[in-house]
Amino acid sequence: MTPIRILLVDDQALLRTGFRMVLEAEDDFTVVAEAGDGAAAIALAAGLHPDVILMDVRMPGIDGIEATRRITAACPDSRIIILTTFDLDEYAFGGLRAGARGFLLKDAQPAELTAAIRAVASGDASVSARVTRRMLDLFGAKLPGAERETDVTEADADAGRLGLLTEREHEVFLAVAEGLSNPELAERFFLSESTVKSHVGRILAKLELRDRVQVVILAHRLGLVTP
């Protein structure tokens, strides 16, 4: 099996070393390079085209959000996971809006980190339940559309799109909005993971959403999840 090629981006060398040790213990991972700032990350991404990039938020010069935006535009096949301390990075949600496919706290357990990398590398998105709750707590007022809560037309359009979902798809939609992973969805609904993936794929297609992050945003905008 071809290993997942990973670029580490963090301005703290000690943290990069720690992440490298965790990742290189996995047979299906290989760390292809490290970067200490956003400019270096952009250059390395363009030259190496890694499968997954672990991106810090606060760095000197070009920060992680802007680097994510530029890399996503230039190298769409390189999927980015934002890593943040959260309590310090009030702009971290901007990384998701810039095109990141995953979001983790830096104190995530190794198993959570490796699972997120595999999910994102396979084309999925990964936002843990814990991070989803924190994201809504801290950034709910800044979510796209939050400043237009009185726009009845937009709300009606969103609600109308939900009407395209079957009853089961609506249940899965709400569970995805809670931050459940595919294995957790399979366990909750007594389904195989392949069936769960099919449900999620149809939900994204029907609602014209890019990934699970946008599911969270839509559910929050409609008041279907509680911060």
Side-chain angles (χ1 to χ4, degrees), residues 53-191:
I53 301 172
L54 298 184
M55 180 73 73
D56 187 18
V57 175
R58 287 192 169 183
M59 295 180 291
I62 298 175
D63 65 19
I65 296 173
E66 181 59 25
T68 294
R69 184 177 296 110
R70 296 189 193 184
I71 293 171
T72 299
C75 310
D77 291 336
S78 293
R79 300 179 173 95
I80 298 174
I81 297 176
I82 293 291
L83 292 174
T84 177
T85 54
F86 227 120
D87 290 330
L88 297 176
D89 297 327
E90 64 271 23
Y91 301 113
F93 185 71
L96 297 176
R97 289 186 294 179
R101 301 298 297 273
F103 197 102
L104 285 176
L105 299 179
K106 286 186 178 179
D107 63 356
Q109 294 298 311
E112 186 179 3
L113 174 63
T114 55
I117 291 172
R118 293 186 180 100
V120 168
S122 70
D124 203 347
S126 180
V127 182
S128 71
R130 176 187 176 194
V131 172
T132 298
R133 288 192 296 271
R134 293 292 307 276
M135 180 178 70
L136 293 175
D137 288 343
L138 294 179
F139 300 106
K142 300 179 183 179
L143 287 171
E147 69 279 7
R148 303 189 301 275
E149 290 179 348
T150 58
D151 190 334
V152 176
T153 301
E154 182 180 8
D156 287 345
D158 287 339
R161 284 191 292 163
L162 285 185
L164 299 173
L165 303 181
T166 65
E167 182 177 354
R168 172 62 82 187
E169 288 168 351
H170 191 269
E171 293 173 341
V172 173
F173 169 83
L174 293 177
V176 170
E178 292 176 26
L180 270 65
S181 64
N182 282 349
E184 291 169 332
L185 290 170
E187 182 177 358
R188 174 177 290 190
F189 296 112
F190 303 101
L191 300 171

